Amino acid sequence: PHIGHLYSAVIADSLKRYYELNDKKVILSTGTDEHGLKIQQAAAKVNQSPQEFCDNVSERFRELFDMANISYTTFIRTTEQKHKDAVKFFWEQLVNNGYIYKGVHEGWYSVSDEAFYNASQLQISNSDEKIALVEWTEEENYKFRLSKCKDELLRWLDENPDVKAFIKSDLVDISVSRPQARLYWGIPVPKDSNQTIYVWLDALINYLTVTGYPWQSQENSHSMSGWPVDVHIVGKDIIRFHAVYWPAFLMAAKLPLPKKILAHSHWMMNKHKMSKSRGNVVDPFTVMKEYGVDTIRYYLMRDGGISDDGAYDPTILQTRHRKDLAGQLGNLVSRSTSLALNPSSTVPFSPSFIENVNDKDITLIKMLKQLPDLVNNHYKNVEFGKGLELIFEAIAEANKHFTDNEPWNLVRDPDKQEMLNRVLFFAVETVRISGILLQPIMPTKMNELLDMIGVSNEERKWKHSRLGNGWQIVKDGGNVKFKVKDGHFLFPKIK
């Protein structure tokens, strides 16, 4: 696994956690596609059986996602029996509906992409960029009538313009099996064990497998276990399979199509796509150990690209940790819970702080009132970077507000206790609101932060991110104690 796999997973997980904060039930599936000629050959190179090879690689992906706190509800492996059963059933639907026929296929085949290409899609590369090698292949196999789906598929693509922009392939019939003599590591074609089902048809069906497909009632599939999916999150290099082949397969099987396909861009380093041959790859395990899981999640969501490639830069990563997380958020936490300024270590709340706005508070109050709705719109559109930018603008304004009011001077004058409390409240209220809004991106650190400032587990939903809509016990006349350990830093320095 590389940083791109982690990026896809963190996008999906952040989206899942965002919807859960809005009281939605969410299914998040990830896992490993394990069949195909590429796997078969890779296993042979290391003198392992394909199954043993897949067991080792799949476990590495699971370790990555667990380490990154990806809250998947299903980790699917396409070598599981339930998936094989789903694929065979799906194949039979395609046959019964007249979309599968046997023929002779010839063309250029890329083992690394597990895909056929026509001559117009090829070019000779003279650069040192990583390229996909192709070989001319002629064989008898089963073909899928992609051309039969052309009109309906184009209509669907018109409704998904973000996806259509990626599509340049011709809608000609495609091969959906390989001879067993050439490819044995896969699912046999039902009633023809001499043929193996094409790896991409096999792999794409995993999205149905995790919903319990085949369902007892195909007519009610839309109400069965969350199908159709709300969003597929994929790297842009596999968009053709998800935005052309997959919807066409579903149309042929008479199943509802995905509502949205989000194809994100790649991470570049030194203006080049990461590749092992260049030596510019980033090991996600190493950077998470070095910087912490949530720092890496924050950096990926803040600086990663959806439509444009992101530039992985260790200097920017370090700056994000030092300036944003430690310097802005961590600093505001320390200031707002300072024992020197608030010896009782309780939330200094009063309704009058919000109701009676004074000139010094206007800018911060306006930002905090608008923040939940603005961030909500960005998160909903998977614009996490823009949402995070707004949150940290509010945190920066809260730090400025704190500095401008000089609470270290107010604490010396007993007559200015209410003014001091007002300054402390707006600081810790910004921390509370920001902590709630940052939960999808940095779940572990924000759980720690909200614990530190005494926010109960029942007051951490999106609706609680409104200004003054937290610490119900305080509003009822009780006290909430901060749980801040002396010398503890939310985001310690990176050694």
Side-chain angles (χ1 to χ4, degrees):
H2 54 68
I3 201 77
H5 295 120
L6 178 60
Y7 183 46
S8 296
V10 175
I11 292 174
D13 185 61
S14 298
L15 200 57
K16 171 184 183 277
R17 292 176 184 275
Y18 155 71
Y19 277 111
E20 287 178 332
L21 287 182
N22 285 283
D23 294 315
K24 304 291 185 184
K25 181 181 178 182
V26 188
I27 296 170
L28 168 55
S29 175
T30 188
T32 44
D33 302 331
E34 301 181 20
H35 290 133
L37 190 58
K38 180 166 59 175
I39 303 294
Q40 183 177 302
Q41 293 179 350
K45 282 183 179 179
V46 292
N47 296 316
Q48 291 181 342
S49 69
Q51 187 63 61
E52 183 182 7
F53 180 83
C54 289
D55 289 346
N56 293 335
V57 175
S58 181
E59 185 58 30
R60 192 68 171 153
F61 274 88
R62 191 191 292 266
E63 288 172 3
L64 173 67
F65 296 152
D66 288 346
M67 182 177 180
N69 203 3
I70 306 300
S71 57
Y72 54 82
T73 52
T74 309
F75 187 96
I76 179 71
R77 297 183 59 186
T78 59
T79 49
E80 295 177 41
Q81 188 59 47
K82 65 180 179 181
H83 177 69
K84 295 177 183 178
D85 294 341
V87 171
K88 290 176 181 178
F89 184 88
F90 191 93
W91 178 275
E92 290 168 349
Q93 303 312 301
L94 299 183
V95 172
N96 294 339
N97 293 339
Y99 282 86
I100 299 290
Y101 66 96
K102 203 165 191 179
V104 175
H105 191 90
E106 59 181 32
W108 294 100
Y109 191 76
S110 164
V111 175
S112 63
D113 295 345
E114 297 282 15
F116 279 100
Y117 292 101
N118 58 45
S120 65
Q121 294 172 303
L122 302 182
Q123 64 181 25
I124 296 174
S125 174
N126 295 314
S127 73
D128 58 352
E129 288 283 356
K130 180 183 178 184
I131 59 174
L133 300 177
V134 295
E135 58 187 32
W136 183 259
T137 302
E138 297 181 27
E139 60 190 30
E140 184 182 57
N141 54 32
Y142 288 96
K143 304 183 83 170
F144 173 76
R145 299 185 193 277
L146 181 62
S147 56
K148 190 175 178 180
C149 304
K150 182 176 180 178
D151 293 340
E152 188 178 355
L153 190 56
L154 288 174
R155 281 195 296 272
W156 182 76
L157 288 171
D158 279 335
E159 296 169 5
N160 292 266
D162 293 342
V163 171
K164 190 174 183 181
F166 285 92
I167 305 306
K168 297 178 181 177
S169 57
D170 299 323
L171 297 180
V172 297
D173 292 356
I174 59 171
S175 168
V176 286
S177 76
R178 305 293 309 278
Q180 197 272 345
R182 190 186 298 266
L183 172 64
Y184 67 84
W185 183 242
I187 301 172
V189 168
K191 301 177 184 176
D192 188 349
S193 59
N194 292 322
Q195 292 280 324
T196 303
I197 294 175
Y198 175 47
V199 60
W200 271 105
L201 173 56
D202 158 6
L204 288 162
I205 294 168
N206 91 84
Y207 301 121
L208 292 172
T209 304
V210 299
T211 69
Y213 180 87
W215 309 293
Q216 291 182 346
S217 172
Q218 298 302 302
E219 291 75 20
N220 293 326
S221 62
H222 62 279
S223 63
M224 303 294 288
S225 304
W227 190 265
V229 66
D230 286 277
V231 58
H232 284 315
I233 297 170
V234 299
K236 67 179 181 180
D237 53 329
I238 54 174
I239 188 65
R240 179 162 62 103
F241 305 101
H242 284 80
V244 176
Y245 298 168
W246 180 224
F249 294 153
L250 290 167
M251 290 171 187
K254 301 189 185 309
L255 293 176
L257 304 191
K259 297 177 184 176
K260 181 174 183 176
I261 295 175
L262 175 73
H264 65 75
S265 293
H266 293 141
W267 279 93
M268 313 288 281
M269 181 178 278
N270 301 326
K271 299 182 180 180
H272 294 284
K273 184 181 175 184
M274 292 184 190
S275 72
K276 290 181 181 177
S277 60
R278 280 187 175 276
N280 65 342
V281 293
V282 176
D283 181 352
F285 292 97
T286 300
V287 293
M288 284 194 289
K289 288 176 182 175
E290 184 177 355
Y291 289 94
V293 170
D294 279 0
T295 292
I296 296 301
R297 286 178 60 116
Y298 173 73
Y299 172 64
L300 292 177
M301 293 299 96
R302 181 73 191 263
D303 294 287
I306 297 297
S307 57
D308 298 319
D309 289 333
Y312 189 93
D313 188 334
T315 303
I316 295 177
L317 169 56
Q318 293 161 13
T319 300
R320 289 294 183 206
H321 180 90
R322 187 179 74 254
K323 287 192 172 181
D324 292 4
L325 301 181
Q328 288 290 348
L329 179 55
N331 186 41
L332 190 60
V333 172
S334 298
R335 289 174 136 190
S336 63
T337 59
S338 167
L339 287 172
L341 300 175
N342 184 0
S344 65
S345 202
T346 57
V347 178
F349 175 77
S350 169
S352 64
F353 294 162
I354 298 173
E355 294 165 3
N356 304 320
V357 180
N358 66 39
D359 291 343
K360 283 189 173 183
D361 305 332
I362 289 176
T363 301
L364 180 57
I365 288 177
K366 183 179 180 181
M367 291 181 79
L368 294 179
K369 283 184 175 180
Q370 295 175 341
L371 193 61
D373 288 337
L374 293 174
V375 174
N376 183 68
N377 289 335
H378 286 310
Y379 279 12
K380 185 167 56 179
N381 293 319
V382 203
E383 298 170 336
F384 289 108
K386 292 180 180 179
L388 292 172
E389 185 178 354
L390 290 175
I391 293 170
F392 277 85
E393 283 177 0
I395 292 170
E397 178 60 33
N399 271 311
K400 181 179 181 298
H401 178 270
F402 193 93
T403 300
D404 290 347
N405 281 279
E406 300 179 331
W408 47 86
N409 290 328
L410 298 177
V411 73
R412 298 172 185 167
D413 188 345
D415 294 335
K416 295 182 177 178
Q417 183 63 48
E418 184 167 341
M419 190 181 298
L420 172 63
N421 286 344
R422 185 184 189 93
V423 175
L424 292 173
F425 167 74
F426 280 116
V428 77
E429 177 70 349
T430 303
V431 169
R432 184 189 69 82
I433 292 171
S434 300
I436 291 173
L437 301 181
L438 288 169
Q439 286 177 102
I441 316 299
M442 297 186 285
T444 303
K445 284 293 184 180
M446 293 309 102
N447 183 60
E448 180 184 341
L449 179 151
L450 294 171
D451 282 347
M452 287 169 62
I453 61 172
V455 177
S456 68
N457 291 329
E458 293 74 32
E459 293 186 316
R460 299 185 183 186
K461 295 288 188 179
W462 199 272
K463 62 187 177 184
H464 299 118
S465 63
R466 299 282 175 191
L467 179 63
N469 199 27
W471 290 305
Q472 186 59 48
I473 189 173
V474 179
K475 289 186 277 189
D476 291 341
N479 289 325
V480 168
K481 288 277 187 180
F482 297 141
K483 303 169 186 175
V484 182
K485 297 177 182 176
D486 193 34
H488 174 77
F489 295 101
L490 190 64
F491 295 98
K493 287 183 179 181
I494 302 297
K495 295 180 182 178

